[in-house]
Amino acid sequence: MYSISEVEKITGLRRSTLRYYEQEDSLPHVERNASGRREYSNEVLEWLELVIALKDTDMSIEDIEVYTELIRQGDPPLDARKQFLLMHKAKERAVAQTQFRLEKIICKNA
């Protein structure tokens, strides 16, 4: 089990961000010790790794919540998870194309 300060050091995320992810139900239940302090298990750290990876692809917190809920449902929504990620990938591709075009415009106007 890890304390919130240990998880902060491991992930580089601030405490407020960790609490926010917990509040938004993007992480599984974070345990509390006898003193009421958060204790993060290895399982929670794995979920947090996933949330960070999704966030790094510019996925919104709302979409992260939807996706993590699909994971919690187990195997039946496997196709739904795949489709969800394919849609996210398509959005990312569109953003990359827009960025590329914007760079071209900037270069032509320079």
Side-chain angles (χ1 to χ4, degrees):
M1 297 297 253
Y2 303 89
S3 69
I4 196 166
S5 57
E6 291 171 321
V7 174
E8 193 176 26
K9 289 176 187 170
I10 292 168
T11 63
L13 297 175
R14 297 186 328 215
R15 292 171 192 231
S16 59
T17 303
L18 294 168
R19 290 183 188 116
Y20 176 75
Y21 287 157
E22 182 183 352
Q23 175 187 342
E24 293 299 313
D25 206 29
S26 296
L27 296 176
H29 182 68
V30 176
E31 299 293 327
R32 304 263 181 167
N33 65 18
S35 310
R37 296 178 187 259
R38 289 172 173 81
E39 290 187 327
Y40 295 83
S41 66
N42 286 328
E43 178 189 5
V44 173
L45 287 181
E46 288 176 19
W47 274 89
L48 192 52
E49 224 175 85
L50 172 66
V51 169
I52 291 168
L54 295 172
K55 193 70 177 147
D56 285 347
T57 66
D58 291 328
M59 187 178 283
S60 69
I61 193 66
E62 294 82 12
D63 285 349
I64 291 172
E65 291 171 29
V66 170
Y67 187 70
T68 55
E69 180 56 36
L70 288 171
I71 292 172
R72 287 185 183 118
Q73 291 174 15
D75 285 340
L78 186 59
D79 285 337
R81 292 194 323 242
K82 183 178 178 181
Q83 289 302 314
F84 190 87
L85 289 177
L86 288 173
M87 286 189 321
H88 179 63
K89 186 176 181 178
K91 287 180 200 174
E92 286 298 303
R93 199 172 292 135
V95 168
Q97 285 177 343
T98 300
Q99 184 69 27
F100 175 75
R101 290 180 182 131
L102 181 59
E103 291 296 324
K104 281 181 97 171
I105 292 168
I106 290 170
C107 287
K108 285 187 178 193
N109 288 324

